[in-house]
Amino acid sequence: MQRENKHLVQIEPSRYRYAIFALIVLIAIVNYIDRGAISYAAGQITTQYGFDRPSWGAVLGYFGYGYMCGALCGGALADKLGARKVWIIAGIAWSIFAIAMIWAGDIGIAVFGGSALTGFATVRVLFGFAEGPAYSIINKTMSAWASPSERGFAVSIGLLSTPLGALLTAPVAVGLLLWTDSWRTMYVVLGCAGFILIAIFARVYTNRPEENSRVNAAEVELIQAGRPIQTKTNDAGVPWWSFFKSKTLVCNTIGYFAFVYVNFMLLTWTPKYLADEFHFTLSSLWYVGMIPWTGACITVLLGGRLSDWLFKKTGKLVIARSWFAAAALTCTTLCFLAVSQAHSVWAVIALMTLGNALNALPNSVYWTVVIDTAPSRVGTFSGFMHFIANIAAVLAPTLTGILSAKYGYSSMFIATAVATAIGVVAMLQVRPGVGAANASLALKT
């Protein structure tokens, strides 16, 4: 009996995958704070370099150009080199460029004919390129470390870094600014934090759970249960251009574009909007800036659970993924239309919070659709989706600067509602697991 009990203990699955998920979330949170911190330094930077509202919108938008390209390259490189190597390279690079932000304006003045804007453009594009691979390789990581039965929730854990990072950006950035009275020192601290986390990651992460000595055989078996068998031949038979022949993958990307538009509009412009329209000071923005992201921290996890639950109940990916996302985006659209008509500061913040929470609800769906539909090209196709959708990372802050200067801040919420309405139409066309480039491996609805 003792031997039998000992045997049962030995085959109990380890839970190391959750440690990996947690570390990925922590790294991605720092990644997100890096990109959003500049919004809270708007007062210092615009005063120092004389940027008007459209110019500031351009500074915020330059990040997106590099981010798009980094997402595209990062996904493909993760398939070719493995997620671990790309994580390390990208993490070191974005930490370097976070610190390089302290010289951005002065480089422009010294090198580009006195144009501080050009200096910020150069550093922000490179910064964005370095951070671009993060979410494509998160999807690659989750596809390797999560079992199909927990896939939606596992992806949502990785994506928790989006609202949680945005929420923590406010107290971290404002705290560092108030403590040091210097936006440059803020970036030095953030860059050093990135170096430390990547060093820890390099020691504990492997591309596959079966390669990690901390993962026992039972956990490997649990992770791999229910997966289709994939071979090098399968991988080689799926050309990269097949992404653009899949209506599901293209429409899913448009849906994700809507999510990114909401995300970057709120991340980049909320602090300045609240300061300009309702006269919030830096000392109060640390907590007010957190509020619109509180609900999203819950719904991003809830959405993954709901999507998995719908799939188990109905057996239909189209209900669990596309219809679910379309319903959430419809509610998001209505919320942002309501924000454009609200005048009370607390009504505005409440509606922004609700709209952002609804927008985050199907965040995991967009990434899971790629895994469902093209499991042998997760990195590459996630990169394509991220690249195209992150046109919104440029468009949202840039267009907001132009619209708000010409028509007032209410116009930025109307533009956001238009973007999410387009997302609704697109997600209704999505059929996960159908019409995939790798149809023989796809999950059938």
Side-chain angles (χ1 to χ4, degrees), residues 335-349:
C335 276
F336 280 103
L337 285 175
V339 175
S340 71
Q341 303 304 311
H343 301 291
S344 162
V345 59
W346 296 114
V348 166
I349 291 174

Side-chain angles (χ1 to χ4, degrees), residues 80-154:
K80 185 175 182 179
L81 303 177
R84 182 179 183 275
K85 188 173 291 186
V86 181
W87 267 119
I88 294 170
I89 294 171
I92 292 172
W94 81 56
S95 299
I96 290 172
F97 287 118
I99 295 174
M101 279 291 295
I102 69 178
W103 298 295
D106 296 336
I107 289 173
I109 293 171
V111 179
F112 299 110
S115 174
L117 184 61
T118 305
F120 273 99
T122 302
V123 176
R124 291 280 289 171
V125 168
L126 293 172
F127 193 9
F129 184 83
E131 292 209 335
Y135 285 88
S136 297
I137 48 179
I138 283 177
N139 215 31
K140 179 74 174 178
T141 299
M142 295 306 179
S143 71
W145 280 82
S147 68
S149 64
E150 63 184 6
R151 184 177 287 161
F153 183 60

Side-chain angles (χ1 to χ4, degrees), residues 62-406:
Y62 285 130
F63 177 92
Y65 290 105
Y67 193 71
M68 291 163 55
C69 297
L72 180 64
C73 297
L77 286 173
D79 277 342
K80 185 175 182 179
L81 303 177
R84 182 179 183 275
K85 188 173 291 186
V86 181
W87 267 119
I88 294 170
I89 294 171
I92 292 172
W94 81 56
S95 299
I96 290 172
F97 287 118
I99 295 174
M101 279 291 295
I102 69 178
W103 298 295
D106 296 336
I107 289 173
I109 293 171
V111 179
F112 299 110
S115 174
L117 184 61
T118 305
F120 273 99
T122 302
V123 176
R124 291 280 289 171
V125 168
L126 293 172
F127 193 9
F129 184 83
E131 292 209 335
Y135 285 88
S136 297
I137 48 179
I138 283 177
N139 215 31
K140 179 74 174 178
T141 299
M142 295 306 179
S143 71
W145 280 82
S147 68
S149 64
E150 63 184 6
R151 184 177 287 161
F153 183 60
V155 171
S156 71
I157 291 175
L159 297 174
L160 173 64
S161 58
T162 298
L164 189 56
L167 181 147
L168 293 175
T169 296
V172 171
V174 173
L176 288 172
L177 287 168
L178 291 175
W179 177 47
T180 66
D181 196 29
S182 169
W183 64 272
R184 290 184 169 89
T185 304
M186 174 186 72
Y187 272 114
V188 172
V189 173
L190 292 174
C192 290
F195 284 129
I196 292 169
L197 283 174
I198 289 298
I200 295 171
F201 175 85
R203 290 184 61 85
V204 303
Y205 180 79
T206 55
N207 286 323
R208 294 186 173 277
E210 58 266 31
E211 299 169 355
N212 199 304
S213 61
R214 300 172 182 85
V215 179
N216 67 13
E219 185 176 12
V220 171
E221 184 179 354
L222 186 153
I223 292 171
Q224 294 180 344
R227 290 190 178 191
I229 298 173
Q230 298 181 35
T231 67
K232 291 183 179 180
T233 302
N234 294 139
D235 290 343
V238 185
W240 63 267
W241 44 261
S242 59
F243 175 94
F244 300 97
K245 296 180 68 175
S246 170
K247 182 179 180 181
T248 285
L249 294 176
V250 170
C251 288
N252 183 61
T253 299
I254 296 172
Y256 188 57
F257 171 94
F259 166 82
V260 175
Y261 192 99
V262 174
N263 197 260
F264 270 82
M265 185 278 289
L266 291 176
L267 182 69
T268 57
W269 276 96
T270 294
K272 188 162 178 57
Y273 163 66
L274 292 175
D276 289 351
E277 289 292 290
F278 301 107
H279 312 296
F280 283 99
T281 62
L282 184 61
S283 60
S284 58
L285 280 175
W286 78 265
Y287 64 89
V288 176
M290 294 172 67
I291 296 173
W293 301 96
T294 51
C297 290
I298 299 171
T299 56
V300 69
L301 293 174
L302 180 62
R305 285 291 195 191
L306 283 174
S307 182
D308 284 345
W309 179 81
L310 286 170
F311 183 38
K312 289 175 183 176
K313 284 291 183 181
T314 66
K316 294 183 180 294
L317 285 171
V318 67
I319 294 175
R321 312 296 196 222
S322 54
W323 292 10
F324 173 56
L329 283 170
T330 298
C331 296
T332 304
T333 302
L334 295 175
C335 276
F336 280 103
L337 285 175
V339 175
S340 71
Q341 303 304 311
H343 301 291
S344 162
V345 59
W346 296 114
V348 166
I349 291 174
L351 287 167
M352 286 170 62
T353 302
L354 178 59
N356 197 27
L358 290 165
N359 185 56
L361 192 64
N363 188 6
S364 64
V365 165
Y366 310 115
W367 298 92
T368 310
V369 164
V370 179
I371 302 175
D372 291 334
T373 308
S376 67
R377 279 290 181 260
V378 171
T380 301
F381 287 178
S382 295
F384 282 143
M385 180 186 76
H386 209 196
F387 170 76
I388 297 168
N390 273 288
I391 292 172
V394 178
L395 185 63
T398 305
L399 184 61
T400 296
I402 295 170
L403 290 176
S404 63
K406 191 170 184 179

